[in-house]
C-alpha cells in the first residue's frame, strides 16, 4: 500500500456515513494529492519527495478526518477501537509490570475458583446426595443431579485432558505469538477463562446452596411419622423376602432382600429422631396429651407476659402477675409429672421444678 | 516574488475560509486543487492553510445547500469534482462579505487610531 492510500485510510478510518460516501471522499482527496504530486514533480523533485511534500501540505490526517467527521459524523466501532489502542499505547507499553501482576492475579482467581468447585464436589456434594437419598428418602432436584454429573465428568473423566489442552494452547501461544500485544492478548484470554470459570463456580454454588437450604428446611419441619411407618413397612417386606429366600436357599434373592432391608432401615439408623418417633408412635394418645399440656403451658405463659408488660400500673402488675404465675406453675408441674412418670423416660431436672416454685431464685 | 510577511493567524484563516471559497466559486465552478492553487496565486502564498482543511469546509457548504458538486473528467484521465455556487450560496456570500467589510473597516479604524496615538 502506498503512502497516499495509507494517508487516506487514516483520514477515513473513523469517518461516518455509507461506504460509498467514504469511497467518494477518498477519490476526491486522492485526485487532489496526485495533482499536487505531479505539480511538485514538474518542479524537478523525486516522486517520493513530492509525495511527502504533498501530504505535508495537505495537513495531519487526524485533523482532516476530524473536520470531515464534523460534517458526516463518525463510526462508533472504529472510534472505540482507536480509543482502546490509544489507551493500550499509553498504559501497556510502560506498564508491563502491571500487566504481569494482573495476569498472575487473574490466573490466581481462576485457580481459587477451581479449588472451590473441587472442594464442593469432594466434600459437600456427597453429603447432599446422602441427605436426599437416606434421610429424606426423596429424589435430588434435576439441576443438582445434572450439575453433579457434569462436574464429575470434568474433574474425573476429562480433567487431565482439559489441563493438557490448556497447557498445550498456552505453550503454542507463547511460542508462536511474537506480537507486541502479547501481554494484552494473554490478559484478555485469562479474563475470558476467568469469566467462564466464575459462571461455572456460581452455578455449582447455586446447585449446592439451594439444596442445602431446602433440605435443612425439610428436615426441621418434616413429620417423621410417615417416614418411620414407611421404613418399618419396607423393612417388614424385605425381611419376609429374606426369610423365604433363606428357606429356599436362594442366596441371590437373599442378597437382594438384604439390600432392601438395609435401605429400609437406614433412615431410622441415621436419624435418632426417626427411631424415637417409631417408639412414640406406639403410644399416640401420650403424644397428643403431651402436646395438649405444652399448648396449655404456652397459653398461660402468654397470659403472664401480657399481665407484666401491658398494664403500666406497678401495683396492678403486683396483684395480678402472681395469680398468672400460679396458673403457669400448675401446668408446668402437671407436664413434669405426667411426662416423667407415665409417658417416657425423660428426666426433668428437679432443680427446674423447684426453681419455678420459688419464683425463679435458685 | 519572495514572501517576506509573517504567517497568518490560522484561526483567522479558518474563520474566513467559507468566504474565500464562496467568492472564488462565484467567479467560476472550481475543483479543490484549483481553489488551493488560485488562493496561493492570488495571495502570493500569504494565505496559509493546510490544503486538507478545504474539504471539510466545502462538504459543509454542500450539505448546507450553498454549493453543489459534479464529477467531471475524461475517461481514463484525471477526474475532478467541480463545485458550483448556488443561489443560497450567493446570498450567504453577500452576508459574509458585508460582515467581513464591516469587521475589516472597524478593525482598520481601531488600528489607525492606535497608530495616530503612537
Amino acid at each position: 500500500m502506498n503512502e497516499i492510500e495509507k494517508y487516506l485510510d487514516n483520514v477515513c478510518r473513523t469517518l461516518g456515513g455509507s461506504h460509498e460516501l467514504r469511497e467518494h471522499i477518498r477519490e476526491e482527496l486522492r485526485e487532489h494529492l496526485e495533482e499536487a504530486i505531479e505539480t511538485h514533480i514538474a518542479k524537478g523533485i523525486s516522486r517520493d519527495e513530492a509525495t511527502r511534500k504533498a501530504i505535508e501540505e495537505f495537513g495531519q490526517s487526524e485533523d482532516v478526518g476530524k473536520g470531515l467527521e464534523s460534517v458526516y459524523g463518525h463510526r462508533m466501532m472504529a472510534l472505540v477501537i482507536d480509543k482502546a489502542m490509544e489507551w493500550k499505547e499509553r498504559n501497556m507499553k510502560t506498564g508491563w509490570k502491571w500487566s504481569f501482576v494482573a495476569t498472575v492475579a487473574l490466573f490466581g482467581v481462576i485457580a481459587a475458583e477451581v479449588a472451590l468447585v473441587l472442594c464442593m464436589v469432594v466434600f459437600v456434594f456427597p453429603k447432599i446426595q446422602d441427605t436426599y437419598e437416606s434421610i429424606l428418602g426423596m429424589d435430588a432436584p434435576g439441576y443438582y443431579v445434572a450439575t453433579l454429573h457434569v462436574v464429575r465428568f470434568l474433574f474425573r473423566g476429562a480433567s487431565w485432558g482439559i489441563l493438557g489442552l490448556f497447557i498445550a494452547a498456552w505453550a503454542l501461544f507463547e511460542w508462536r505469538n511474537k506480537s507486541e500485544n502479547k501481554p494484552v492478548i494473554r490478559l484478555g484470554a485469562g479474563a475470558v477463562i476467568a469469566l467462564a470459570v466464575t459462571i461455572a463456580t456460581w452455578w455449582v454454588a447455586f446447585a449446592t446452596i439451594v439444596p442445602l437450604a431446602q433440605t435443612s428446611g425439610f428436615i426441621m419441619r418434616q413429620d417423621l411419622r410417615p417416614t418411620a411407618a414407611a421404613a418399618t413397612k419396607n423393612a417388614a417386606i424385605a425381611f419376609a423376602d429374606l426369610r423365604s429366600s433363606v428357606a429356599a436357599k436362594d442366596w441371590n434373592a437373599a442378597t437382594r432382600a438384604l439390600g432392601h432391608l438395609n435401605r429400609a432401615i437406614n433412615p431410622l439408623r441415621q436419624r435418632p429422631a426417626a427411631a424415637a418417633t417409631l417408639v412414640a408412635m406406639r403410644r399416640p394418645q401420650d403424644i397428643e396429651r403431651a402436646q395438649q399440656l405444652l399448648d396449655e403451658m404456652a397459653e398461660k405463659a402468654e397470659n403472664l407476659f401480657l399481665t407484666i408488660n401491658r398494664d403500666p400500673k406497678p401495683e396492678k402488675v403486683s396483684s395480678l402477675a402472681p395469680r398468672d404465675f400460679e396458673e403457669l406453675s400448675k401446668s408446668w408441674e402437671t407436664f413434669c409429672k405426667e411426662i416423667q412418670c407415665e409417658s417416657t423416660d425423660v428426666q426433668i431436672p428437679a432443680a427446674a421444678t423447684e426453681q419455678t416454685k420459688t419464683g425463679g431464685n435458685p | 516574488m519572495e514572501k517576506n510577511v509573517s504567517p497568518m493567524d490560522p484561526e483567522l484563516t479558518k474563520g474566513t475560509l467559507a468566504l474565500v471559497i464562496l467568492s472564488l466559486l462565484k467567479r467560476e465552478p472550481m475543483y479543490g486543487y484549483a481553489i488551493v492553487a488560485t488562493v496561493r496565486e492570488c495571495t502570493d502564498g500569504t494565505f496559509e492553510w493546510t490544503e486538507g482543511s478545504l474539504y471539510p469546509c466545502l462538504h459543509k457548504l454542500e450539505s448546507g445547500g450553498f454549493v453543489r458538486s459534479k464529477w467531471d473528467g475524461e475517461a481514463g484521465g484525471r477526474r475532478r469534482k467541480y463545485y458550483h455556487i448556488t443561489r443560497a450560496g450567493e446570498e450567504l456570500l453577500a452576508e459574509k462579505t458585508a460582515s467581513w467589510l464591516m469587521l475589516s473597516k472597524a478593525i482598520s479604524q481601531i488600528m489607525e487610531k492606535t497608530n495616530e496615538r503612537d
Side-chain angles (χ1 to χ4, degrees):
Chain A
M1 191 187 284
N2 65 35
E3 289 302 309
I4 298 287
E5 293 306 317
K6 273 187 199 166
Y7 179 82
L8 294 175
D9 278 350
N10 286 337
V11 170
C12 297
R13 192 176 155 64
T14 55
L15 186 60
S18 65
H19 177 72
E20 288 74 24
L21 175 76
R22 283 196 295 278
E23 283 303 311
H24 186 86
I25 290 170
R26 279 181 81 106
E27 190 178 354
E28 187 179 15
L29 303 190
R30 189 187 295 116
E31 293 296 337
H32 181 117
L33 286 164
E34 283 180 357
E35 195 160 349
I37 291 167
E38 280 173 15
T39 308
H40 288 307
I41 290 172
K43 287 177 186 168
I45 58 174
S46 69
R47 173 163 278 279
D48 288 348
E49 184 62 19
T51 306
R52 192 194 59 72
K53 206 162 179 339
I55 289 174
E56 190 184 309
E57 284 168 354
F58 206 80
Q60 293 283 324
S61 58
E62 291 83 9
D63 295 338
V64 181
K66 276 178 189 163
L68 289 166
E69 277 174 29
S70 69
V71 184
Y72 299 111
H74 51 250
R75 274 191 296 171
M76 189 51 78
M77 186 51 77
L79 198 70
V80 168
I81 291 169
D82 277 6
K83 293 288 171 196
M85 292 308 286
E86 271 176 31
W87 180 87
K88 194 220 91 176
E89 284 295 316
R90 273 203 315 274
N91 296 283
M92 301 312 288
K93 269 189 178 172
T94 53
W96 66 270
K97 282 181 189 169
W98 287 110
S99 105
F100 174 75
V101 170
T103 307
V104 170
L106 206 57
F107 282 97
V109 168
I110 294 169
E113 286 179 340
V114 171
L116 179 67
V117 172
L118 199 61
C119 281
M120 285 178 174
V121 173
V122 173
F123 299 113
V124 185
F125 275 31
K127 302 278 183 200
I128 297 173
Q129 190 85 7
D130 190 49
T131 304
Y132 273 107
E133 287 176 2
S134 302
I135 298 178
L136 293 173
M138 55 197 278
D139 291 333
Y143 61 84
Y144 166 78
V145 177
T147 308
L148 188 66
H149 286 316
V150 171
V151 173
R152 274 184 181 161
F153 168 74
L154 289 176
F155 278 100
R156 289 182 186 170
S159 56
W160 290 110
I162 293 171
L163 195 63
L165 204 65
F166 174 72
I167 291 170
W170 196 347
L172 197 67
F173 167 77
E174 296 293 342
W175 176 42
R176 300 293 297 175
N177 194 314
K178 305 288 180 201
S179 99
E180 60 166 6
N181 296 327
K182 200 169 174 177
V184 186
I185 298 170
R186 193 187 290 121
L187 205 57
V192 171
I193 296 169
L195 184 66
V197 175
T198 303
I199 292 168
T201 307
W202 273 90
W203 177 252
V204 171
F206 168 81
T208 311
I209 293 165
V210 174
L212 278 177
Q214 281 179 338
T215 50
S216 63
F218 283 142
I219 291 167
M220 292 295 286
R221 291 193 301 273
Q222 191 187 23
D223 182 357
L224 290 173
R225 282 174 294 184
T227 306
T232 316
K233 189 181 168 187
N234 290 340
I237 293 167
F239 194 77
D241 288 347
L242 183 62
R243 185 193 296 277
S244 57
S245 306
V246 171
K249 294 185 180 175
D250 181 351
W251 305 121
N252 285 335
T255 307
R256 280 197 302 276
L258 277 170
H260 292 157
L261 181 66
N262 199 36
R263 274 199 294 281
I265 62 173
N266 261 349
L268 301 175
R269 282 176 59 224
Q270 292 178 0
R271 292 184 73 183
T277 304
L278 199 62
V279 175
M281 280 164 67
R282 293 179 65 83
R283 294 178 179 178
Q285 72 280 10
D286 287 352
I287 297 172
E288 282 164 17
R289 175 63 182 153
Q291 280 179 335
Q292 187 191 342
L293 288 170
L294 286 167
D295 289 345
E296 200 178 297
M297 207 154 62
E299 188 188 335
K300 286 176 180 171
E302 175 74 10
N303 286 343
L304 177 59
F305 176 83
L306 292 175
T307 304
I308 293 168
N309 291 288
R310 275 216 182 143
D311 205 319
K313 295 173 187 166
E315 60 278 9
K316 204 167 180 186
V317 174
S318 301
S319 67
L320 293 176
R323 186 199 66 194
D324 288 344
F325 176 72
E326 198 55 40
E327 292 287 317
L328 178 60
S329 281
K330 280 178 192 166
S331 291
W332 172 240
E333 280 165 19
T334 311
F335 175 76
C336 292
K337 187 179 166 192
E338 291 193 21
I339 298 301
Q340 187 168 10
C341 302
E342 294 173 14
S343 295
T344 70
D345 291 334
V346 175
Q347 296 292 321
I348 305 295
T353 50
E354 285 304 315
Q355 204 172 324
T356 53
K357 283 178 185 169
T358 55
N361 295 320
Chain B
M1 187 177 166
E2 200 175 309
K3 190 175 106 182
N4 56 0
V5 290
S6 357
M8 278 183 77
D9 180 1
E11 289 301 315
L12 201 60
T13 314
K14 204 187 285 179
T16 55
L17 201 51
L19 174 62
V20 171
I21 291 169
L22 287 171
S23 47
L24 287 176
L25 293 182
K26 200 185 174 188
R27 294 186 199 171
E28 57 177 336
M30 291 175 125
Y31 58 96
Y33 189 76
I35 295 173
V36 171
T38 309
V39 169
R40 192 178 290 137
E41 192 186 322
C42 290
T43 63
D44 289 330
T46 311
F47 197 87
E48 282 200 351
W49 59 349
T50 52
E51 295 172 15
S53 60
L54 168 74
Y55 289 94
C57 189
L58 269 174
H59 284 243
K60 202 175 277 182
L61 289 170
E62 189 178 17
S63 65
F66 303 112
V67 297
R68 281 212 185 116
S69 66
K70 190 183 171 188
W71 282 96
D72 199 8
E74 61 273 22
R78 188 169 299 291
R79 291 183 75 223
R80 284 160 176 164
K81 192 179 174 190
Y82 282 87
Y83 289 88
H84 309 249
I85 192 164
T86 62
R87 185 174 292 279
E90 286 182 2
E91 285 168 10
L92 181 67
L93 174 62
E95 279 173 31
K96 280 189 175 285
T97 307
S99 173
W100 169 254
L101 290 173
M102 276 172 66
L103 178 70
S104 173
K105 191 179 166 191
I107 290 174
S108 298
Q109 283 171 343
I110 292 167
M111 300 308 288
E112 275 169 23
K113 285 186 181 167
T114 307
N115 288 338
E116 278 169 20
R117 286 183 66 180
D118 291 342

